[in-house]
């Protein structure tokens, strides 16, 4: 046991003094560098108060004390702590960050970069935080987090229609059902040898592909596990009967052809986005590479928006239906038409789509694909703008193939 004579209050005071000294040393280097960037992110704490991380990034030019006094240049990135946000609107965040920069004696006119995620209160074109900062300092280029953008693409698409939301609710329900009981989990592991059901996560988008993979490739085994639980007559009492009833309901839900088609479609989309995200995480991946890869992702999505691709998805879902021994047919939904008063006598009644296959294609399949394409285009517009200014720097070897006039145009655009 380590014994010392410092009380708790004195220890905390020493820690605060050391922290303040380190912070001032870092700020001195940032002021010497003059130009800097900020990286922010927000997350609620246990008390449900929004906390904003404050990170400063700058180029540090340190001169060695040797005879040659060589200068080393490196990029420094320092975390300064959490800042409580009383208001999470664009205006509230702008006021908070301006106050923080003023306390640090970092002039806003020297801010030349902003890096955040792509949520609406930050990336908004009119009233977002980044737009308000740009109105103050037009040189503070906003670079969205590309990997986080993919997360938001998935979230946007998952909420684009009622069918999409219901699909992920059912996926999560399957995990909750098995994980809530050791007995049910044991039954599942007896049937599923390689993959097990996984939960979804709102903050880690890759959890979606992890959750869908066992359903996509082990659905028959999961189906058999649910059947075993439903037919287990030893499960008695209130909890046992409820477990069996829930197993029957889940069996019916995951064997519907609508769910099977949704599963195939979502897995293909998330697999493509997962591949793109993995490449984004590579250190050598620059903004030009990111733009090219996103173009390929968009091309993939556009290619899925066709009748031919829809029929291919139905064929893949048909294989799953054959494995479960269920018909590969869409069950018709009950038609509910709300009678509304007509303002003019010549107004016609709304004509609902009676064909369940066509209804699914229009209201779900095309709706999901369209939302994905639209979200990719919107989220990465800013990245394309940044690439148009800085992109030529990342491919200096291509400059030898450009005319002096073209190089001058790039330089003037950057300047």
């Amino acid at each position: 046991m380590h014994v010392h004579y410092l009380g708790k209050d004195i220890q905390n005071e020493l820690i605060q003094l050391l922290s303040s000294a380190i912070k001032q040393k870092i700020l001195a280097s940032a002021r010497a560098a003059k130009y800097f960037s900020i990286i922010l992110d927000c997350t609620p704490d246990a008390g449900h108060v929004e906390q904003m991380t404050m990170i400063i990034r700058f180029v540090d030019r340190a001169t060695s004390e040797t005879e040659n006094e060589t200068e080393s240049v490196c990029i420094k990135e320092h975390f300064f702590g959490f800042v409580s946000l009383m208001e999470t609107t664009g205006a509230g965040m702008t006021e908070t960050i301006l106050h923080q920069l003023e306390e640090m004696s970092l002039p806003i006119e020297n801010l030349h970069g902003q890096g955040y995620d792509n949520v609406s209160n930050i990336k908004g074109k009119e009233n977002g935080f980044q737009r308000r900062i740009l109105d103050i300092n037009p040189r503070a280029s906003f670079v969205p987090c590309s990997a986080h953008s993919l997360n938001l693409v998935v979230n946007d698409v998952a909420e684009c229609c009622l069918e999409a939301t219901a699909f992920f609710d059912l996926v999560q329900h399957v995990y909750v059902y098995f994980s809530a009981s050791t007995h049910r989990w044991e039954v599942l592991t007896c049937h599923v040898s390689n993959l097990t059901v996984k939960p979804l996560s709102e903050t880690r988008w890759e959890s979606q592909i992890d959750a869908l993979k066992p359903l996509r490739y082990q659905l028959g085994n999961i189906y058999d596990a649910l059947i075993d639980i439903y037919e287990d007559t030893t499960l008695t009492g209130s909890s046992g009967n409820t477990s069996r009833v829930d197993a029957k309901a889940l069996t019916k839900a995951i064997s519907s052809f609508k769910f099977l088609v949704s599963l195939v479609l979502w897995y293909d989309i998330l697999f493509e986005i997962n591949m793109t995200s993995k490449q984004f995480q590579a250190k050598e991946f620059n903004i030009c590479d990111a733009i090219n890869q996103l173009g390929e992702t968009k091309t993939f999505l556009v290619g899925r928006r066709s009748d031919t691709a829809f029929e291919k998805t139905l064929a893949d879902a048909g294989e799953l239906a054959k494995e479960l021994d269920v018909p590969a047919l869409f069950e018709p939904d009950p038609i509910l038409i709300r009678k509304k008063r007509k303002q003019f006598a010549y107004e016609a009644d709304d004509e609902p789509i009676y064909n369940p296959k066509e209804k699914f294609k229009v209201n779900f399949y095309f709706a999901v694909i369209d939302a994905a394409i639209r979200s990719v285009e919107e989220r990465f517009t800013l990245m394309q703008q940044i690439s148009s200014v800085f992109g030529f720097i990342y491919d200096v070897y291509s400059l030898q193939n450009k005319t002096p006039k073209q190089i001058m145009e790039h330089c003037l655009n950057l300047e």
Side-chain angles (χ1 to χ4, degrees):
M1 180 178 178
H2 181 66
V3 180
H4 55 75
Y5 297 97
L6 296 179
K8 180 184 68 175
D9 295 337
I10 297 178
Q11 290 183 63
N12 291 338
E13 186 176 353
L14 284 173
I15 292 172
Q16 291 175 3
L17 289 172
L18 289 171
S19 173
S20 178
I22 294 172
K23 182 176 179 180
Q24 292 305 319
K25 184 175 178 60
I26 293 172
L27 287 175
S29 298
R31 297 186 196 105
K34 187 175 181 180
Y35 301 115
F36 65 96
S37 299
I38 56 175
I39 303 174
L40 308 177
D41 199 1
C42 298
T43 185
D45 60 14
H48 304 287
V49 176
E50 199 74 16
Q51 299 288 342
M52 180 175 66
T53 58
M54 183 71 177
I55 299 173
I56 301 292
R57 196 176 194 188
F58 57 91
V59 178
D60 185 40
R61 294 173 297 174
T63 303
S64 63
E65 298 179 356
T66 61
E67 294 180 358
N68 297 329
E69 292 188 350
T70 56
E71 186 179 60
S72 62
V73 178
C74 62
I75 298 173
K76 295 291 184 69
E77 189 174 287
H78 295 282
F79 168 66
F80 280 91
F82 294 96
V83 180
S84 298
L85 288 176
M86 297 299 104
E87 189 178 355
T88 57
T89 61
M93 295 180 67
T94 303
E95 184 179 349
T96 300
I97 195 64
L98 290 178
H99 177 70
Q100 291 295 317
L101 293 177
E102 185 179 354
E103 283 191 345
M104 295 177 179
S105 298
L106 295 175
I108 185 66
E109 58 267 21
N110 291 340
L111 175 62
H112 276 215
Q114 310 176 66
Y116 328 116
D117 57 29
N118 259 329
V119 292
S120 58
N121 61 336
I122 289 180
K123 66 95 181 174
K125 298 178 181 178
E126 302 296 335
N127 298 313
F129 172 53
Q130 64 92 14
R131 180 70 260 172
R132 292 174 180 271
I133 294 295
L134 282 171
D135 289 340
I136 300 172
N137 178 8
R139 290 181 181 270
S141 302
F142 169 50
V143 181
C145 172
S146 56
H148 196 274
S149 295
L150 292 172
N151 185 12
L152 293 173
V153 166
V154 174
N155 288 341
D156 285 350
V157 178
E159 298 171 358
C160 71
C161 61
L162 187 63
E163 293 284 354
T165 303
F167 171 80
F168 282 106
D169 283 346
L170 179 55
V171 171
Q172 181 70 359
H173 192 185
V174 171
Y175 168 77
V176 171
Y177 176 78
F178 283 110
S179 63
S181 166
T182 55
H183 170 69
R184 294 196 291 262
W185 191 265
E186 184 179 354
V187 174
L188 175 66
T189 54
C190 288
H191 286 81
V192 181
S193 56
N194 299 326
L195 303 170
T196 56
V197 291
K198 302 284 178 61
L200 298 173
S201 172
E202 294 182 359
T203 56
R204 195 178 71 87
W205 75 269
E206 288 172 304
S207 68
Q208 272 86 339
I209 191 69
D210 293 338
L212 294 191
K213 190 172 184 179
L215 290 170
R216 177 68 177 87
Y217 295 107
Q218 299 277 357
L219 187 63
N221 296 331
I222 296 173
Y223 181 87
D224 292 339
L226 290 169
I227 291 293
D228 280 1
I229 295 174
Y230 171 66
E231 295 178 347
D232 188 357
T233 56
T234 62
L235 297 174
T236 57
S238 177
S239 61
N241 291 333
T242 300
S243 181
R244 294 177 65 188
V245 169
D246 290 344
K248 182 180 180 180
L250 283 176
T251 301
K252 182 178 180 180
I254 68 172
S255 61
S256 70
F257 192 60
K258 184 184 295 185
F259 176 81
L260 300 181
V261 178
S262 303
L263 178 61
V264 172
L265 172 63
W266 273 113
Y267 183 81
D268 290 347
I269 291 177
L270 291 176
F271 183 81
E272 173 66 23
I273 293 179
N274 182 46
M275 294 291 291
T276 301
S277 177
K278 294 298 184 185
Q279 294 188 53
F280 279 0
Q281 296 172 28
K283 287 185 178 181
E284 64 275 8
F285 211 66
N286 60 48
I287 194 167
C288 298
D289 296 330
I291 295 297
N292 293 333
Q293 182 60 39
L294 288 171
E296 293 182 10
T297 301
K298 180 183 174 181
T299 301
F300 167 81
L301 294 171
V302 171
R304 293 301 298 261
R305 200 196 184 288
S306 66
D307 290 338
T308 302
F310 178 65
E311 294 297 332
K312 174 65 169 58
T313 302
L314 294 185
D316 292 340
E319 294 297 321
L320 291 176
K322 187 183 299 184
E323 181 182 352
L324 300 182
D325 196 21
V326 296
L329 298 172
F330 291 100
E331 296 181 2
D333 295 325
I335 301 174
L336 302 174
I337 304 177
R338 180 174 178 267
K339 295 294 183 180
K340 62 179 181 179
R341 184 179 299 174
K342 298 179 182 178
Q343 294 182 350
F344 304 98
Y346 56 79
E347 283 187 292
D349 294 327
D350 292 334
E351 291 292 337
I353 302 175
Y354 289 101
N355 187 325
K357 176 182 175 181
E358 289 299 313
K359 183 178 180 180
F360 182 85
K361 181 174 70 173
V362 173
N363 295 344
F364 177 78
Y365 184 87
F366 282 166
V368 167
I369 297 294
D370 288 342
I373 295 172
R374 186 169 58 250
S375 188
V376 167
E377 290 176 341
E378 178 187 354
R379 299 295 180 184
F380 294 101
T381 297
L382 287 169
M383 185 178 293
Q384 291 168 349
Q385 293 174 353
I386 295 296
S387 179
S388 67
V389 177
F390 297 95
F392 77 101
I393 299 177
Y394 291 96
D395 190 13
V396 293
Y397 296 105
S398 67
L399 294 180
Q400 61 186 349
N401 299 322
K402 297 182 182 293
T403 64
K405 182 180 178 180
Q406 290 175 322
I407 296 175
M408 181 59 69
E409 288 176 354
H410 282 305
C411 294
L412 290 175
N413 188 30
L414 176 62
E415 189 269 339

